[in-house]
Amino acid sequence: MARTRAKRIWTEPFLTDWRAFPKLELHLHLEGAAPPALVRRLGAAQAIPLDGLFDAAGRYAASDFTSFLVAYERMSRVFAKPETYRELAEAVLAEQAAHGVIYTEIFISPPSLGFTSAEWLTMLAAIEEGANAAEASHGIVCRLIPVVIRHHGPEKALEAVRTVLAAPRGRMRGFGLAGDERRFTAADFIRPFAEMAEAGFRLTAHAGEFCGPQNVRDTLDLLHVERLGHGVRAVENPELVRRLAEEAIALELCPGSNIALGLYPDFASHPIDALRRAGCAVTVSTDDPPFFHTTISDEYLGLEAAFGYGEPEFAAFNRAALDAAFCEPALKTSLAARLARRERQPEA
């Protein structure tokens, strides 16, 4: 049965406190990172029923990928007012900064959730305000990746593209595809991806999570992405793994998410190490951290316990993330300097 929490296997006292280690994260859904306390407060203020959304401990409740998607969309209703996104963005970025994240790329999906063009502009401005506040207070920098939701279909995707292209670019740098990988095919989204590429957006897509290597191959061939969200199922095909390594297709890996949703039983079973050893460009992210009861620090702890990773491996993951980041060259130079000069603080 699929789990909703990655099994903690790092209780040994000798393991490292990774919170102060500088990190980059490339795969984070804005609404999916919403703190439960914020969602409960906004739900109460707007009289939005949230019965069954949380477990007895007050955490998001889901038993498998399908129920996770349902819970995700229920939770997102508290953000139906575009102005709520300022508080959401600031809260999410503050939480990341507390775990040493200095740069993040955040997926935003309201265009596919029914926002009008005017509401999209208001929402986007609110996110920019929240990002400004978090950067001023915590030093964390973000860029945005609007995504279309696969299971909402290609027509909704085209509507979302029109909405995004009519908005100021701001922090938006990339474009992606998220949602239920079992619905529709990569071929159904060729047109929206082509239009966004023509407009100068860089491309990523969720693939190879719940569907196998063929879906990864189709996503590469038809959508011409330079990064893959998850992509772990590629490990089932050695030829495809070689292609990923040779073409330097960055993998936005989220081990805790994969474990929580039942793809793998624990960190030691996750293919991240096999992909790393095969020469793939591996990065580490959290996906929807409060849903999966994880943080980026927890991801590092799990990988340390499972594979003995330390500073060299995690520094390499962050260099790979910097190389694959969709941000502008000047910001990459600044981030590289921060990675070089910031040292992990000793464990208290």
Side-chain angles (χ1 to χ4, degrees):
M1 181 177 179
R3 289 164 293 280
T4 58
R5 184 183 179 116
K7 181 180 179 182
R8 291 182 182 272
I9 56 174
W10 53 84
T11 56
E12 297 88 343
F14 61 84
L15 292 179
T16 312
D17 183 350
W18 291 105
R19 286 172 296 183
F21 191 81
K23 308 171 186 71
L24 283 73
E25 188 167 2
L26 301 183
H27 190 111
L28 184 76
H29 295 268
L30 181 57
E31 296 90 349
L38 174 62
V39 170
R40 285 193 293 269
R41 179 165 58 77
L42 290 176
Q46 300 173 76
I48 297 173
L50 299 175
D51 298 348
L53 183 60
F54 303 102
D55 63 18
R59 304 171 305 190
Y60 294 118
S63 60
D64 55 24
F65 187 59
T66 300
S67 61
F68 159 68
L69 292 175
V70 172
Y72 190 105
E73 296 208 8
R74 283 195 64 208
M75 172 275 302
S76 297
R77 293 172 190 167
V78 306
F79 302 108
K81 295 180 179 179
E83 56 272 18
T84 58
Y85 276 82
R86 184 197 189 284
E87 188 172 2
L88 174 60
E90 186 173 2
V92 167
L93 289 167
E95 173 66 15
Q96 281 194 291
H99 288 277
V101 177
I102 62 173
Y103 174 80
T104 186
E105 293 186 357
I106 298 179
F107 298 126
I108 52 176
S109 55
S112 293
L113 298 178
F115 273 27
T116 66
S117 294
E119 288 171 329
W120 166 249
L121 291 174
T122 301
M123 184 276 297
L124 203 55
I127 292 175
E128 295 278 350
E129 291 175 4
N132 288 340
E135 185 171 347
S137 298
H138 306 289
I140 184 171
V141 183
C142 81
R143 293 294 180 262
L144 304 174
I145 302 178
V147 295
V148 293
I149 307 303
R150 182 190 291 264
H151 53 273
H152 291 173
E155 293 305 316
K156 284 288 186 183
L158 282 171
E159 291 177 18
V161 163
R162 305 290 189 271
T163 302
V164 171
L165 291 179
R169 188 68 57 97
R171 283 178 169 79
M172 293 190 294
R173 294 293 182 272
F175 175 73
L177 177 66
D180 192 344
E181 188 184 2
R182 301 166 296 185
R183 300 280 300 279
F184 299 98
T185 68
D188 294 315
F189 297 92
I190 290 174
R191 187 175 170 191
F193 270 74
E195 291 192 15
M196 293 300 283
E198 179 67 22
F201 285 78
R202 298 173 69 180
L203 305 178
T204 181
H206 290 49
E209 182 185 15
F210 284 92
C211 294
Q214 186 59 49
N215 198 38
V216 173
R217 191 176 292 107
D218 291 345
T219 300
L220 295 174
D221 291 341
L222 299 176
L223 302 185
H224 306 294
V225 299
E226 56 187 285
R227 287 180 1 204
L228 287 169
H230 300 291
V232 286
R233 297 283 303 278
V235 78
E236 299 165 18
N237 186 302
E239 181 181 350
L240 180 57
V241 171
R242 285 192 293 272
R243 176 182 176 183
L244 294 175
E246 291 170 359
E247 297 182 10
I249 302 296
L251 300 177
E252 305 159 5
L253 298 185
C254 308
S257 167
N258 298 156
I259 295 165
L261 292 176
L263 273 73
Y264 306 102
D266 50 36
F267 277 90
S269 304
H270 195 276
I272 183 172
D273 196 59
L275 291 164
R276 179 184 74 89
R277 293 180 182 278
C280 294
V282 170
T283 71
V284 178
S285 294
T286 53
D287 202 6
D288 305 278
F291 276 92
F292 306 132
H293 311 153
T294 189
T295 67
I296 192 70
S297 299
D298 287 339
E299 300 292 318
Y300 279 43
L301 284 167
L303 293 170
E304 179 188 9
F307 302 112
Y309 290 168
E311 291 192 22
E313 290 81 11
F314 293 131
F317 292 157
N318 284 300
R319 285 194 298 271
L322 183 61
D323 288 343
F326 290 163
C327 62
E328 56 275 22
L331 178 54
K332 284 196 176 188
T333 300
S334 173
L335 293 169
R338 292 178 68 179
L339 288 176
R341 72 173 180 262
R342 287 183 58 179
E343 297 180 352
R344 177 176 57 82
Q345 299 175 2
E347 187 171 3

